[in-house]
Amino acid sequence: MKRFDTYADALGFLYRRNQFSIKLGLENMQAFLEGLGNPHRNLAYIHVAGTNGKGSTCKALEAIAPLLGYRQVALYTSPHLVSFRERIVVRGRPIEEDFILTWMNNNVHLIDTLNTTYFECVTAMAFTYFKEQACDLVVLETGLGGRLDATNVITPLLTMITPVSLDHCAILGDTVEKIWIEKLGILKAGVPIVVDEERESLLNLLKSKADALNVPVYNLADHRIELDTSSNTNVYRYHGLNRSYAFEQKAFPAEHAFRNAMQALLACELLENDRVLKNQVGVKELPLEKESALAQVLYTARLPGRLQRLEAPGFRT
């Protein structure tokens, strides 16, 4: 039986698993997970699709969630910048090399038998790790599209779609509407969705599918966001579900970065309200009222390489 002696060997094999190919359909992923004992079940997820801002929104979700009382928050994103381990994170710590090596050795026969792709392998590995770590919330980013993405095997607490534009047109379609329909494939019956969208054609498609599945829709575009320049420090104001918030403009590299963070905050407001209804949080102790703590985590919730400012010695912009 094939066996890997080192982490580098296991990772090299994984990278050779048709890394840049796409396998449409979820049947193979479902068979793979069945062979692994369905590690994706019985975890709480926020499932995030979109074209622009997916990763940054996921990072903001990961940052806010502990304020709501989630202790073991997991984050699954792609691609990685430096290390493969960046893709699978629990409580801010990347997955261990030893876990990857052991998981690959335990499952290489199943991988070969089902001819699973690179992304199917990585996604299944993440599910296994999150289950072993007893995560109480998983922020799960889609890889490509949504409807046929390997992550689309779960039933989440919430779904989210960040702003869409033309991407992977050869696979997802040659218009924004076709791509939007693929992203809408992550909707699940009765599960709320959070979007940030103003285009009428896309909202009409969303309404049609949401009505058919009895999905509540929450749109950041329906909430007032303004830039207050009346003082020395420019401040963004977001008027949310339960209250209004103020954040320093200089803490965000661009306006769209602020909207990404506020879409994440809107999703967390929904989680907060749900936990209050279930008596998991005292009504007089709503966590998101602690605005200083919220600002602190949002100001530092950044993915490397995403509008990251770098300065060389002696050089200032």
Side-chain angles (χ1 to χ4, degrees):
M1 181 181 293
K2 186 182 299 179
R3 184 168 181 82
F4 310 106
D5 294 325
T6 67
Y7 166 71
D9 292 339
L11 203 59
F13 173 82
L14 196 57
Y15 283 151
R16 293 191 293 272
R17 299 298 307 172
N18 34 46
Q19 184 179 359
F20 300 106
S21 70
I22 303 299
K23 185 183 292 181
L24 297 178
L26 296 175
E27 295 83 1
N28 202 66
M29 184 64 181
Q30 289 165 337
F32 190 30
L33 291 171
E34 183 74 27
L36 296 172
N38 291 311
H40 61 303
R41 294 181 180 170
N42 301 316
L43 291 171
Y45 297 93
I46 301 177
H47 199 190
V48 184
T51 303
N52 303 311
K54 279 188 305 179
S56 297
T57 301
C58 286
K59 187 67 177 177
L61 286 166
E62 179 202 31
I64 301 170
L67 301 182
L68 299 175
Y70 294 101
R71 297 183 180 276
Q72 286 286 96
V73 180
L75 178 63
Y76 180 63
T77 57
S78 59
H80 61 269
L81 182 64
V82 176
S83 168
F84 169 85
R85 298 167 56 224
E86 297 168 26
R87 294 169 173 258
I88 303 170
V89 172
V90 174
R91 295 186 69 176
R93 295 191 295 268
I95 186 172
E96 298 87 359
E97 291 184 5
D98 286 348
F99 182 93
I100 296 169
L101 177 59
T102 299
W103 188 89
M104 290 294 296
N105 277 324
N106 288 343
N107 299 298
V108 64
H109 177 70
L110 185 61
I111 291 169
D112 277 338
T113 299
L114 294 176
N115 191 29
T116 54
T117 66
Y118 170 82
F119 193 72
E120 287 171 335
C121 289
V122 180
T123 303
M125 181 192 299
F127 286 142
T128 308
Y129 186 66
F130 297 153
K131 181 176 181 178
E132 182 179 289
Q133 294 292 309
C135 295
D136 51 7
L137 185 67
V138 177
V139 180
L140 190 71
E141 180 188 18
T142 62
L144 187 152
R147 180 174 63 94
L148 298 176
D149 188 77
T151 62
N152 199 26
V153 291
I154 50 99
T155 300
L157 301 174
L158 295 171
T159 57
M160 299 181 67
I161 302 180
T162 64
V164 300
S165 59
L166 295 176
D167 73 281
H168 299 284
C169 295
I171 298 166
L172 301 180
D174 57 0
T175 68
V176 172
E177 287 76 16
K178 289 178 182 177
I179 291 171
W180 179 247
I181 289 171
E182 289 298 317
K183 312 287 186 184
L184 291 177
I186 69 170
L187 269 69
K188 303 295 186 299
V191 175
I193 184 169
V194 179
V195 300
D196 181 12
E197 188 52 63
E198 294 181 329
R199 288 166 286 188
E200 185 176 357
S201 63
L202 303 191
L203 290 175
N204 288 338
L205 290 169
L206 171 59
K207 184 178 187 306
S208 176
K209 180 145 191 175
D211 287 350
L213 293 173
N214 192 30
V215 168
V217 176
Y218 296 86
N219 192 349
L220 183 67
D222 294 334
H223 293 258
R224 188 154 52 97
I225 291 177
E226 56 198 4
L227 179 61
D228 183 351
T229 59
S230 61
S231 63
N232 291 334
T233 302
N234 292 347
V235 173
Y236 282 122
R237 300 192 185 278
Y238 160 63
H239 301 275
L241 288 176
N242 303 319
R243 64 192 74 86
S244 296
Y245 303 86
F247 302 97
E248 293 183 7
Q249 181 191 25
K250 65 183 180 182
F252 299 90
E255 181 181 355
H256 70 265
F258 178 73
R259 295 192 70 91
N260 292 342
M262 292 307 98
Q263 189 173 353
L265 179 53
L266 175 55
C268 288
E269 287 182 293
L270 290 172
L271 290 181
E272 178 185 64
N273 289 351
D274 185 59
R275 290 166 74 83
V276 169
L277 288 174
K278 293 176 179 175
N279 295 317
Q280 294 175 313
V281 177
V283 174
K284 294 182 180 179
E285 301 174 354
L286 293 178
L288 297 185
E289 286 182 349
K290 301 172 184 175
E291 193 165 322
S292 60
L294 181 59
Q296 183 178 3
V297 298
L298 284 180
Y299 291 169
T300 57
R302 298 287 182 270
L303 283 175
R306 319 291 172 94
L307 286 183
Q308 181 181 4
R309 180 172 177 164
L310 300 175
E311 294 183 352
F315 176 79
R316 294 291 184 269
T317 57

